[in-house]
Amino acid sequence: MANIIDDETIEYVGILAKLALSEEEKEQAKKDMSDMLDYIDMLGELDTSNVEPMSHAFPVFNVFREDVVTNGDGSVETLANAPEQKNGAFKVPKTV
């Protein structure tokens, strides 16, 4: 099945993609899009009745682990460098 792409479609796609296409580029894009749609039509003719649907070519699973703190937050060492501290936080001069 020959898919024919018209000038309006190319203009619309150019606007969506924010592309300024020359006339030669528009003609090439029309040909390329038509070829892509023809290839998709060809793939649609394949018998996929015995093919299991999948979202990825390889079985991919998320591996979750428990989030465990191993080195602490370092707050004691950080506050040791503070010239003044109050309630476990840096005490800084008031700014206006």
Side-chain angles (χ1 to χ4, degrees):
M1 176 179 176
N3 289 293
I4 299 173
I5 307 297
D6 59 357
D7 292 332
E8 290 177 8
T9 304
I10 293 298
E11 288 289 332
Y12 182 66
V13 170
I15 290 169
L16 290 176
K18 298 185 182 200
L19 296 174
L21 299 174
S22 68
E23 288 302 318
E24 296 83 28
E25 291 171 327
K26 288 179 186 177
E27 290 301 318
Q28 184 62 42
K30 282 174 32 177
K31 181 187 174 305
D32 291 342
M33 287 178 72
S34 178
D35 290 345
M36 285 186 270
L37 292 173
D38 288 341
Y39 185 72
I40 291 170
D41 286 343
M42 184 178 67
L43 291 176
E45 296 172 5
L46 295 174
D47 178 24
T48 57
S49 59
N50 294 327
V51 178
E52 182 180 337
M54 62 178 161
S55 61
H56 199 278
F58 298 102
V60 178
F61 303 99
N62 285 333
V63 179
F64 295 105
R65 64 172 171 78
E66 192 66 34
D67 191 14
V68 179
V69 177
T70 58
N71 61 350
D73 63 356
S75 61
V76 173
E77 293 85 7
T78 303
L79 285 173
N81 296 318
E84 284 188 68
Q85 45 181 302
K86 183 177 180 182
N87 299 330
F90 282 97
K91 184 176 179 187
V92 295
K94 196 181 264 190
T95 58
V96 180

